[in-house]
Amino acid sequence: MMRPESKYKCVIIDDDINCIQLLKEYVYALPELSVHATFSNPAAAIKEIKDRKGVDFLFLDIDMDISGLDIARMLREHVCFIVFVTGHPECALEAFSVNADRFLLKPVSLQKFALTVNELQSQHARLNA
């Protein structure tokens, strides 16, 4: 799914516009990433992602009208990496039960965001070498 010669396509789903904006800035700060789409409406996001092909990173909040945990279950086969970005540490165990790749606790620093992306890219490269 992911090709080193092209940018990794990222989708952000969060019902907080400020969080979307911050994550967009973080994505733009990493030259290997590009923002493919952002959604504050989880229902619209589910349909759109299922229809699109090639989403590499899904950055996903948990506490929304539709639980991010449920969204992750629905979209797991449609994206390469699921990274929860949430203010709910009590959801960490359940996040990994839906096969999330990483769990970042808000507020997330650019350094932590970049480290997470780099770790996932490295893991993917090793598995596909």
Coordinates of all heavy atoms in Angstrom, one line a residue, residues 27 35 57-58 66 86 94 121:
V27 N 1.4 17.1 10.2 CA 1.5 16.4 9.0 C 2.4 17.2 8.0 O 3.3 16.7 7.4 CB 0.2 15.9 8.4 CG1 0.3 15.4 7.0 CG2 -0.5 14.9 9.3
V35 N -1.7 15.5 3.8 CA -3.1 15.4 4.3 C -4.0 15.1 3.1 O -4.0 15.8 2.1 CB -3.5 16.8 4.9 CG1 -5.0 16.7 5.3 CG2 -2.7 17.1 6.1
F57 N -2.1 6.6 6.8 CA -2.2 6.9 8.2 C -3.6 7.4 8.5 O -4.0 8.4 7.9 CB -1.2 7.9 8.6 CG 0.2 7.4 8.8 CD1 1.1 7.5 7.7 CD2 0.7 6.9 10.0 CE1 2.4 7.0 7.8 CE2 2.0 6.4 10.1 CZ 2.8 6.5 9.0
L58 N -4.3 6.8 9.5 CA -5.5 7.4 10.0 C -5.3 7.8 11.4 O -5.0 7.0 12.3 CB -6.6 6.3 10.0 CG -8.0 6.7 10.6 CD1 -8.6 7.9 9.9 CD2 -8.9 5.5 10.6
I66 N -19.7 9.1 17.0 CA -19.5 7.6 16.8 C -18.1 7.4 17.4 O -17.2 8.1 17.1 CB -19.5 7.3 15.3 CG1 -20.8 7.7 14.6 CG2 -19.2 5.8 15.1 CD1 -20.8 7.5 13.1
T86 N -6.0 11.0 21.4 CA -7.2 11.2 22.2 C -6.7 11.8 23.6 O -5.6 11.6 24.0 CB -8.0 9.9 22.4 OG1 -9.1 10.2 23.1 CG2 -7.1 8.8 23.0
E94 N -8.4 -0.8 25.3 CA -9.4 -1.1 24.3 C -9.0 -0.7 22.9 O -9.3 -1.4 21.9 CB -10.8 -0.5 24.6 CG -11.9 -1.0 23.7 CD -13.3 -0.5 24.1 OE1 -13.4 0.3 25.1 OE2 -14.2 -0.9 23.4
Q121 N 6.7 3.8 10.1 CA 7.3 3.7 8.7 C 8.5 2.7 8.8 O 8.6 1.8 7.9 CB 7.9 5.0 8.3 CG 6.8 6.0 7.9 CD 7.4 7.4 7.6 OE1 8.3 7.8 8.3 NE2 6.8 8.1 6.7

